[in-house]
Amino acid sequence: MRNKVTVVGGGNVGASCALNIAFKELADVVLVDVMEGVPIGKGLDMLETGPIEGYDVHVTGANDYEPTANSDVVVITAGLARKPGMSRDDLLMANFDVIKSVTEQVVKYSPNAILVLVTNPLDAMCWTAHQVSKFSKNRVIGMAGVLDTARFRTFIAAELNVSVENVTAVVLGGHGDTMVPIVRLSNVSGIPLTELMDQATIERLVERTRTGGAEIVKYLKTGSAYYAPAAAAAEMVESILKDKKKVLPCAVLLEGEYGINGLFVGVPVKLGSRGIEKIYEIHLTSEEKQALAKSAAAVQELIDVIKPKMA
Ligand SMILES: NC(=O)c1ccc[n+]([C@@H]2O[C@H](COP(=O)([O-])OP(=O)(O)OC[C@H]3O[C@@H](n4cnc5c(N)ncnc54)[C@H](O)[C@@H]3O)[C@@H](O)[C@H]2O)c1
C-alpha cells in the first residue's frame, strides 16, 4: 500500500514540499490550491520529473478536495506569506479564515490524517486547526522548530567552519521573535557551544536565528523563505510515514508541560506513525523558563484575538 500525502497551498513552500516528498519517494502527493489550474500544472510538472529523477510516486494537483480523500498526512501551507516590514503576527486574521476553511475540507475527506501545519502565525494556526478538526492533539503538529534549529545549526557550522551534520541545536518556544534558542544544550559533536565561542559570538548567532526569517524576506521582497521550510516539513512527514521516531522540535498543544496550558508552543517531541508519540519536558534554568513563558504569552495574545471568532 502506498502512502498518500496532501499538500494544501501550492505556492512556494507547498510546491517545494511536494517535490521534496516525491524525491524521497515517501508517498503519492496531491497538491491543492485555490488558484485555478495552477496546482494541476505544477503536479503534472512534478510527475514528469519522475523519469529523470527516478521516482515512481504519483503527483497530482487539484482545485478541490475530493482527490485528497484518505490521505495519511496533510501538510497545510495555504495562506499569505510575509512581505518586508511585516511580522508573522500581521498575517493572523487573513490566515485564520484560510486555515479554518481548509481544515474543514481536509477533515471531511481525510478524517484519520495527521495534520502538519506550516502557515503563519504558526502556533495560532495550529490552535485553529486543532479546534476545527477536533483531532486528538497527537495528530495536529506545527512545523517551526525544525526550521529554526536548522538556521541556528547553519550559523554555528559556518562560524566554526565545521560540518552542519555535527551541530545539534535546541530552540524552544513560539515561532516568532520571542523564540528561545537554548545555548546550554546546543553543541558540536557533544562539545558545548560555550566552549567553542565567546558569549558575544553566541549572542550574535542567537539573534540571527531569531530574525532568520526576516533576513530572507528582506532579500526576496515579495515573499518569505521556502526551501528550508519545505525541507523541514518533509522531514517531519518522513518521520511519521516511516515511523522513524525522530526527536524533533515541533509546535504541539501543551497541557501543563513547561507550565503552559492550552497553547501550541515549540518543544522537543518524538514523531512516529501515531504523530506525536511523546513530549519531552526538559529541565530549564529559571532564565530559560522566563524566556519560554514570555514566548508563550506572545502566542496567547494571538489566541485571545481569534478565540471569539471560533465560537
Ligand atoms: N512555519 C514556518 O516556519 C514557515 C516557514 C515559511 C513559510 N511559512 C508560512 O507558510 C505560508 C505559505 O508560504 P508560501 O511562501 O508558500 O506562500 P505563497 O504565497 O507562495 O503560497 C501560498 C499559497 O496558498 C494558496 N492559498 C491561499 N488561500 C488558500 C485556500 N483557502 N486554499 C488553498 N490554497 C490557498 C495561495 O493561492 C498560494 O498559492 C505562509 O503563511 C508563510 O508565512 C511558515
Side-chain angles (χ1 to χ4, degrees):
M1 267 285 276
R2 283 163 180 259
N3 287 313
K4 182 169 176 180
V5 174
T6 288
V7 179
V8 186
N12 284 335
V13 178
S16 304
C17 183
L19 192 59
N20 262 278
I21 292 167
F23 271 127
K24 289 170 177 257
E25 281 193 319
L26 296 180
D28 290 337
V29 185
V30 183
L31 190 63
V32 178
D33 200 290
V34 286
M35 299 261 279
E36 206 185 320
V38 172
I40 301 166
K42 288 190 182 182
L44 191 56
D45 196 6
M46 286 184 215
L47 187 68
E48 292 165 358
T49 309
I52 302 164
E53 291 296 338
Y55 57 73
D56 280 314
V57 296
H58 284 279
V59 188
T60 50
N63 288 126
D64 66 311
Y65 285 80
E66 216 172 314
T68 71
N70 299 318
S71 293
D72 299 290
V73 179
V74 178
V75 181
I76 302 180
T77 75
L80 302 182
R82 283 197 286 173
K83 303 221 162 57
M86 285 174 93
S87 76
R88 294 179 178 94
D89 297 354
D90 291 335
L91 304 168
L92 183 66
M93 293 322 286
N95 285 349
F96 169 80
D97 290 334
V98 170
I99 296 306
K100 190 164 177 284
S101 78
V102 165
T103 306
E104 282 162 1
Q105 296 293 317
V106 163
V107 167
K108 188 170 152 199
Y109 288 97
S110 300
N112 300 315
I114 291 172
L115 307 181
V116 175
L117 274 294
V118 177
T119 305
N120 276 319
L122 191 268
D123 310 280
M125 296 302 102
C126 291
W127 183 89
T128 305
H130 181 250
Q131 291 280 314
V132 173
S133 67
K134 299 190 173 57
F135 282 5
S136 55
K137 68 173 189 174
N138 59 306
R139 292 201 285 136
V140 183
I141 314 162
M143 187 292 291
V146 176
L147 172 64
D148 296 332
T149 50
R151 286 184 173 143
F152 197 21
R153 289 169 65 194
T154 302
F155 303 147
I156 293 166
E159 189 70 31
L160 297 172
N161 193 23
V162 299
S163 166
V164 286
E165 288 179 36
N166 291 140
V167 182
T168 303
V170 179
V171 177
L172 304 178
H175 183 51
D177 304 339
T178 58
M179 71 179 77
V180 189
I182 307 285
V183 171
R184 186 174 56 86
L185 300 177
S186 304
N187 66 75
V188 179
S189 286
I191 307 167
L193 214 53
T194 42
E195 299 214 10
L196 296 167
M197 40 179 98
D198 60 29
Q199 196 55 30
T201 307
I202 290 174
E203 276 165 25
R204 177 165 51 79
L205 302 190
V206 163
E207 189 49 27
R208 193 172 175 199
T209 302
R210 278 211 187 95
T211 56
E215 184 179 1
I216 290 175
V217 171
K218 197 178 71 193
Y219 289 116
L220 297 186
K221 295 192 176 66
T222 56
S224 57
Y226 51 101
Y227 293 118
E235 184 183 18
M236 290 167 62
V237 171
E238 181 174 35
S239 191
I240 293 166
L241 291 179
K242 291 187 177 171
D243 194 25
K244 283 177 79 97
K245 302 194 191 296
K246 276 191 171 182
V247 178
L248 298 169
C250 299
V252 293
L253 180 66
L254 297 182
E255 292 177 304
E257 299 92 347
Y258 295 93
I260 297 167
N261 211 350
L263 292 177
F264 277 77
V265 172
V267 296
V269 301
K270 189 199 289 183
L271 267 193
S273 60
R274 287 178 288 125
I276 294 158
E277 299 189 350
K278 185 178 171 61
I279 295 174
Y280 293 91
E281 195 171 359
I282 49 180
H283 177 77
L284 298 179
T285 66
S286 58
E287 204 177 309
E288 290 161 353
K289 265 187 208 155
Q290 246 177 2
L292 188 59
K294 190 173 159 215
S295 188
V299 177
Q300 180 71 58
E301 272 180 36
L302 301 184
I303 302 303
D304 290 343
V305 175
I306 54 176
K307 210 171 201 167
K309 290 197 75 180
M310 192 59 86

